[in-house]
Each structure stands twice: as C-alpha cells, then as structure tokens.
Amino acid sequence: MKTKELFKEKTVFSYEVFPPKKTSGPQSIYKTLEELKSLSPDCISVTYGAGGGDNNDESFKIAQTIKGYGIESIAHLPCIGMTKADLEEKLEELQALQVENILALRGDLPADDYAPGDFSYASDMVRFIKDKGDFNVVAACYPEGHIDCKDKVQDIKHLKTKVDAGVDQLITQLFLDNNDFYAFRERCELADINVPIEAGIMPVVNKRQIERMTSLCGVKLPDKFVKMMDRYQDKPVAMRDAGIAYAVNQIVDLISQGVDGIHLYTMNNPYIAKKIHEAVHNLL
Ligand code: FAD
C-alpha cells in the first residue's frame, strides 16, 4: 500500500528505526520490531546511511520484514554519490521486495572529498524515481529551515521544486518548539505545497543525544527545554521520563491543531515508543 493513502483516513502515526551497527548484532533490531509491531503503528520507516554505512545491507531487509508483519514500510534512500545505474539497481531491489514507499533523500554532504554521483539534490532523485516506477515518494523537510540554506524563503522554494518533482508526502526533521512547525506549515501553504506533512518528534532522553542533533542539524533548544535538561541531566531515569513527557506534550498540541501525522524517531527504543503510544493512541 502507498502510505499517502493512510492520510485520507486518519491522523497517521509512524515510527522510524535504524539498522543497528554490525557490532551490536543484526538480531537486536528484529526483537525491537517485534515489540513495535504490538503497538500497531500505521507504518515504520527504516534509515539508510548516506555514502555507505556498515549496516546498509540490513536496511531493505528490515523494510521487507516490517511488510511481512502486515505493517507498511518506508525505505529511506540517500542519493549522494549515487549514479543513475546505482539508483536503478536499488529501485529494482525494492520492487522485488515489494517495498513501494521510498523516502528520497540527498544525504548529508561528507566533510572529505567524495564522488558526487549523478544527483545533486533530492528533487533530482524524486524525478528519476517517479520516471522509473510506481513508487510512493516521501521527502524530508525542515521546520526551522535546512542547515545548509540560511534563507528560509529560498529553502521553501527548493522544497516546492522537490514536491513538484513528484513527492507524495513529507516528514519533518525533529523540532522542539511547535510554533516553528506551525510557521513552517503556513509557509508551505503560501508556497502551494499541499501534500500531507508528518511532524517528526524525537523524545530526547539524554543530553548527548540532543547536543549531537543540534550540531548536526541546527535544531533550536527552547528555554523550557533547556531548563528541563539542566534539572534532570544527571538523573537518567528522570531525564528519560521528562523527555517522554515533553514529546507527549508536543504531540497532544500538534494533534489538537490538526497535524496530518506524527513520525516518531524511536531511536530503536521500544520502551519509549510504548510510553508515548499509551499516552496518545486514544487521541488519533
Ligand atoms: P535536499 O532536499 O536536496 O536539500 C538539501 C539542501 O539543498 C537544502 O539546504 C536545500 O534548500 C538545498 N537545495 C535544494 N535544491 C536546491 C537547488 N536546486 N539549488 C540550490 N540549493 C538547493 N540522511 C541519511 O543519510 N539517511 C537517512 O536515512 C536519513 N533519513 C532522514 C529522515 C528525515 C525525516 C529527515 C528530515 C532527514 C533524514 N536524513 C537522512 C538527513 C538528510 O539526508 C539531510 O538532512 C540532508 O542534508 C538533506 O537531505 P534532503 O533530502 O532534505 O536534501
């Protein structure tokens, strides 16, 4: 099933998982999936490391396993460094696995020299995918603007180009202030971007995790979030519970304001997904 169809029926609730590093043993993800399955998400997406992570070969297999559970899956696919022939091969692989939803991404630009490949931006890849097969194409978007593009208006124009290339739905990067999401949604409306937008929510359960995200993606930390972290950062259980409560508050507000869907960055942690599921599943 193409996941864009889900939005016609309800507020969509999806999860994101990543293939574990080879050193942690590939089996750990299948145990995680078993637990996530029992929470009946509408769909689960699986990340894929740009430029060749050590665990990418698991990514499509995980997407296939999710489909086997009767839950829709979305395979992430970054195009940085890929040739057209590489991408065509990946599309054939996905077709053979009957995975019909792809999150088409550029990927982060490597700091060192790299072979640029045939695709400069995700929009080039979206066009190529739509031309090659009957895929549902999902793309990334950034409520606070993408870190490489300092001009938010320009960033929205780039997003419009990407959506017009054939995007069926969008998923946002994490954000911690819902007002950033509402302002972004308005900019999308003004730019005539009309596909469903899922809000990406990451429960922040330790300080190192958010410091990494801030330096990688430029996510802003609201005052109330900083105060929460200052208070609980040395108490892991309290920090975890406060992070879950913060995410639940964000989700309740987003659903009340008519969000199309919530995409939960589970960090492969079924406990957190379960706690959030318990708090919000009656609201969807
Ligand atoms: P693009 O849409 O190509 O945009 C990248 C930048 O280029 C933006 O600044 C944009 O404004 C600018 N731009 C676009 N078009 C033009 C143009 N024509 N001219 C000039 N500038 C332009 N990364 C992974 O490696 N693996 C994953 O699995 C993964 N999953 C993700 C899931 C989500 C929901 C999100 C939000 C991000 C994910 N990422 C992942 C990270 C993503 O690859 C990075 O954020 C990357 O830097 C941008 O990818 P993009 O597809 O948004 O790029």
Side-chain angles (χ1 to χ4, degrees):
M1 179 195 197
K2 295 187 167 57
T3 50
K4 71 174 178 187
E5 299 301 328
L6 295 166
F7 296 91
K8 294 179 184 164
E9 294 159 21
K10 65 190 291 276
T11 308
V12 170
F13 203 85
S14 59
Y15 293 159
E16 180 170 311
V17 297
F18 55 85
K21 287 202 180 307
K22 284 214 163 110
T23 46
S24 356
Q27 286 318 314
S28 61
I29 184 65
Y30 296 100
K31 193 168 169 289
T32 301
L33 289 177
E34 284 287 337
E35 294 189 55
L36 294 180
K37 177 177 89 167
S38 67
L39 306 178
S40 307
D42 293 310
C43 107
I44 302 181
S45 80
V46 190
T47 67
Y48 189 107
D54 90 319
N55 44 7
N56 277 346
D57 46 349
E58 278 297 315
S59 192
F60 290 0
K61 278 192 230 158
I62 297 169
Q64 185 193 25
T65 302
I66 294 165
K67 273 215 76 151
Y69 290 151
I71 298 173
E72 267 319 314
S73 62
I74 300 178
H76 295 213
L77 195 53
C79 62
I80 197 84
M82 263 197 197
T83 62
K84 288 181 179 171
D86 295 333
L87 180 53
E88 218 157 344
E89 200 179 296
K90 295 285 171 207
L91 296 180
E92 280 164 19
E93 236 180 280
L94 288 170
Q95 237 152 8
L97 298 173
Q98 297 183 322
V99 174
E100 51 188 324
N101 304 293
I102 301 177
L103 175 44
L105 296 149
R106 183 194 68 179
D108 287 323
L109 300 178
D112 305 327
D113 281 350
Y114 65 99
D118 288 336
F119 305 94
S120 303
Y121 298 105
S123 50
D124 305 323
M125 182 193 196
V126 171
R127 226 169 270 119
F128 187 87
I129 297 174
K130 280 293 183 186
D131 197 42
K132 290 290 166 191
D134 184 24
F135 289 102
N136 182 68
V137 177
V138 189
C141 61
Y142 304 83
E144 299 174 63
H146 184 262
I147 193 161
D148 297 348
C149 186
K150 298 302 168 211
D151 179 345
K152 280 190 185 164
V153 174
Q154 202 54 48
D155 201 41
I156 284 287
K157 286 184 179 167
H158 294 150
L159 182 61
K160 171 72 175 155
T161 305
K162 182 158 74 172
V163 171
D164 286 351
V167 168
D168 296 293
Q169 65 187 88
L170 292 166
I171 302 179
T172 77
Q173 178 171 273
L174 78 131
F175 56 89
L176 294 162
D177 181 344
N178 285 1
N179 288 325
D180 288 322
F181 177 81
Y182 301 133
F184 168 73
R185 206 165 53 169
E186 249 172 55
R187 290 198 297 282
C188 286
E189 258 181 72
L190 288 170
D192 216 10
I193 294 171
N194 298 313
V195 295
I197 305 174
E198 264 194 283
I201 297 294
M202 181 180 283
V204 179
V205 297
N206 67 61
K207 196 175 177 198
R208 222 185 31 201
Q209 171 196 359
I210 194 62
E211 281 173 349
R212 186 164 170 273
M213 295 315 292
T214 317
S215 71
L216 265 178
C217 339
V219 172
K220 192 178 75 197
L221 306 184
D223 275 355
K224 66 176 180 179
F225 181 85
V226 173
K227 287 204 174 80
M228 180 189 87
M229 253 190 355
D230 288 347
R231 186 171 175 101
Y232 300 120
Q233 58 179 309
D234 298 323
K235 298 177 182 151
V237 173
M239 182 67 220
R240 180 198 67 194
D241 289 353
I244 292 172
Y246 193 96
V248 167
N249 275 337
Q250 276 194 281
I251 295 170
V252 171
D253 180 59
L254 286 160
I255 295 173
S256 309
Q257 308 245 20
V259 73
D260 295 314
I262 303 288
H263 184 72
L264 190 71
Y265 295 102
T266 68
M267 310 303 292
N268 289 6
N269 186 328
Y271 175 85
I272 294 171
K274 186 163 175 271
K275 286 290 163 196
I276 292 184
H277 168 83
E278 280 168 6
V280 306
H281 79 279
N282 285 330
L283 315 181
L284 297 166

